[in-house]
Amino acid sequence: MTQPRTPHSETSSPFPLAERRGRATVVEIRGVAIGGPELVLVAGPCSVESEQQLREAALAAHVAGARILRGGAFKPRTSPYAFQGLGEEGLALLRRIGDETGMAVVTEALDPTQVPLVASYADAIQIGSRNMHVAPLLRAAAASGLPVLLKRGMSATLEEFLLAAETILLEGNENIVLCERGIRTFDTYTRNCLDVGGIVALKRLTHLPVLADPSHATGRRELVVDTALAAVAAGADGLVVEAQADPWSALSDREQQLAPEELVELGDRVRRVALAVGRSLPGAQEETRLETAPPDGFVDRLREEISENDRGIVEAINTRLELVARMHSYKAAHGIAFRDARREQALLRSLQETNSGPLSAEGLEEILLALLDLTKREVA
Ligand code: PEP
Ligand code: MN
């Protein structure tokens, strides 16, 4: 290990190696430059859960303009009972699908002994918020020789964050990408608070590139896109965003992951803000779309899933009609009115309360009313 230097005798900065001094370092992760004029979008699921989940997430990420695939194989969960990740199987999936889609891969190592394994699959090592202060892990990540994506500790000051980067720099690894991912505040509405001023400050304090993670910063899907825009306007060099094809069934962080169309919207809107601040975000080129064409049978499989789901809907409607027909005979025999507006309102409210998918409240109302009208026509 390198002997600690005595920075204060040479310079007044507590982090002389990370200090800006007029420089701007561009870090390359498998050919993707971070810190140059082009913004970088890193996207993918919170956790790697299966081959299909990761492949669909990677394709969605790529279409939105992401060039780096993220996904946790070893998950730093706050609860020991929560899903802990697929481990090496997840790493292998990341590598395979990264190669398939032409994307670089970044994933987290939780402890120093894991670093060589993670490094044998990934293109960059992520140090998570919960581990930003763990010097042996920082040193092991540095020693891997791979770029390090260093996330800010959730209660770390900017100085502590930069001292963690300094620890890696001191080991001779200069390829560090910082990531502001939100800090703890008194507010509980958002999961964390994106430190936008901190992004501005970091860009002035250090030569290292700075990304922002609006997913963990907000913890709320509906806040992610606009928060991402704020980060880009503040000077972030790119974004780390959690997204997957079916965020509602994710095993971790399902409230904050974007669906593919939301990630595309994020890319489109970031592109416009990027232009306003003299940057750009590459889109999905026709060529890259071809290069990342879905694997054989992808469209057919998805189509079959949709058809299967539609068959289920028809079956459920038939069951409803049968049940209502029985109710209708009973009501007719007892002279009770067929439709009951109060019960319909109560049904709508209860469905809206339990609905946790992407269907909007208005959409749900529209469907229920259509279903009630149809039932009346078919049964009465
Ligand atoms: C992650 O990005 O996978 C993650 C766990 O985030 P954080 O370390 O910022 O909580
Ligand atoms: Mn997550």
Side-chain angles (χ1 to χ4, degrees):
M1 195 198 94
T2 320
Q3 282 306 307
R5 296 181 201 165
T6 47
H8 292 279
S9 61
E10 295 154 19
T11 157
S12 59
S13 171
F15 37 81
L17 301 178
E19 189 190 27
R20 184 163 180 88
R21 279 189 281 126
R23 299 166 294 167
T25 293
V26 175
V27 174
E28 282 209 6
I29 300 182
R30 198 178 249 234
V32 180
I34 309 181
E38 280 194 353
L39 298 179
V40 171
L41 179 57
V42 181
C46 176
S47 305
V48 177
E49 296 175 16
S50 71
E51 179 164 357
Q52 183 181 346
Q53 172 246 19
L54 186 62
R55 182 174 285 117
E56 289 173 0
L59 291 168
H62 201 282
V63 165
R67 294 291 172 270
I68 302 179
L69 176 64
R70 61 143 290 140
F74 296 103
K75 291 305 298 176
R77 306 307 299 280
T78 304
S79 164
Y81 302 112
F83 175 61
Q84 305 290 311
L86 294 183
E88 186 168 3
E89 188 190 341
L91 295 176
L93 287 174
L94 280 163
R95 182 70 277 147
R96 184 173 332 142
I97 293 185
D99 289 345
E100 224 176 66
T101 52
M103 294 169 90
V105 163
V106 60
T107 191
E108 178 165 354
L110 292 181
D111 74 62
T113 60
Q114 255 170 19
V115 169
L117 179 71
V118 174
S120 69
Y121 289 98
D123 301 308
I125 311 273
Q126 181 171 318
I127 305 291
S129 184
R130 289 157 192 77
N131 290 319
M132 186 213 81
H133 291 284
V134 183
L137 178 59
L138 298 172
R139 294 197 186 99
S144 75
L146 288 181
V148 178
L149 175 62
L150 178 63
K151 299 192 82 174
R152 181 180 181 180
M154 56 190 82
S155 301
T157 64
L158 291 180
E159 182 168 326
E160 287 165 342
F161 190 18
L162 289 171
L163 286 171
E166 190 80 5
T167 305
I168 299 170
L169 287 165
L170 208 43
E171 294 296 312
N173 187 336
E174 299 188 334
N175 294 313
I176 304 166
V177 178
L178 302 173
C179 180
E180 158 54 33
R181 48 76 77 201
I183 47 174
R184 282 269 165 93
T185 68
F186 53 85
D187 202 341
T188 51
Y189 182 78
T190 50
R191 183 176 180 180
N192 291 288
C193 176
L194 183 77
D195 185 3
V196 177
I199 295 172
V200 180
L202 285 170
K203 291 299 296 176
R204 297 172 67 91
L205 287 168
T206 179
H207 57 93
L208 298 170
V210 179
L211 301 182
D213 172 349
S215 306
H216 292 89
T218 61
R220 287 174 170 258
R221 179 178 297 116
E222 71 277 14
L223 302 183
V224 169
V225 175
D226 290 312
T227 305
L229 301 183
V232 169
D237 296 298
L239 298 160
V240 180
V241 180
E242 288 188 342
Q244 63 174 81
D246 181 10
W248 298 275
S249 67
L251 295 179
S252 58
D253 288 352
R254 68 173 66 142
E255 300 79 15
Q256 71 191 32
Q257 301 202 54
L258 299 187
E261 56 280 9
E262 293 169 317
L263 190 63
V264 166
E265 183 201 336
L266 180 143
D268 288 346
R269 294 182 60 200
V270 162
R271 236 161 251 127
R272 280 183 271 149
V273 173
L275 284 182
V277 293
R279 312 287 288 266
S280 65
L281 173 73
Q285 307 295 317
E286 220 37 58
E287 255 170 85
T288 50
R289 274 182 206 271
L290 274 183
E291 188 192 308
T292 61
D296 282 352
F298 175 81
V299 171
D300 290 343
R301 250 194 0 258
L302 204 55
R303 228 175 241 152
E304 186 39 47
E305 261 181 61
I306 294 171
S307 307
E308 186 55 34
N309 190 57
D310 290 345
R311 282 191 282 274
I313 292 174
V314 172
E315 207 176 300
I317 291 176
N318 277 321
T319 308
R320 184 174 210 282
L321 291 178
E322 283 160 19
L323 290 169
V324 174
R326 278 162 57 194
M327 176 67 93
H328 181 54
S329 328
Y330 175 84
K331 283 186 167 176
H334 292 83
I336 305 171
F338 180 53
R339 277 182 82 161
D340 175 346
R342 268 218 319 252
R343 151 136 173 94
E344 289 175 4
Q345 276 308 314
L347 175 61
L348 176 61
R349 268 199 310 279
S350 105
L351 290 174
Q352 282 173 337
E353 268 164 33
T354 50
N355 171 32
S356 59
L359 179 62
S360 66
E362 300 76 48
L364 180 55
E365 183 169 2
E366 205 177 307
I367 284 177
L368 182 67
L369 289 178
L371 194 56
L372 291 170
D373 285 343
L374 171 99
T375 310
K376 186 166 179 231
R377 273 203 316 278
E378 298 270 324
V379 172

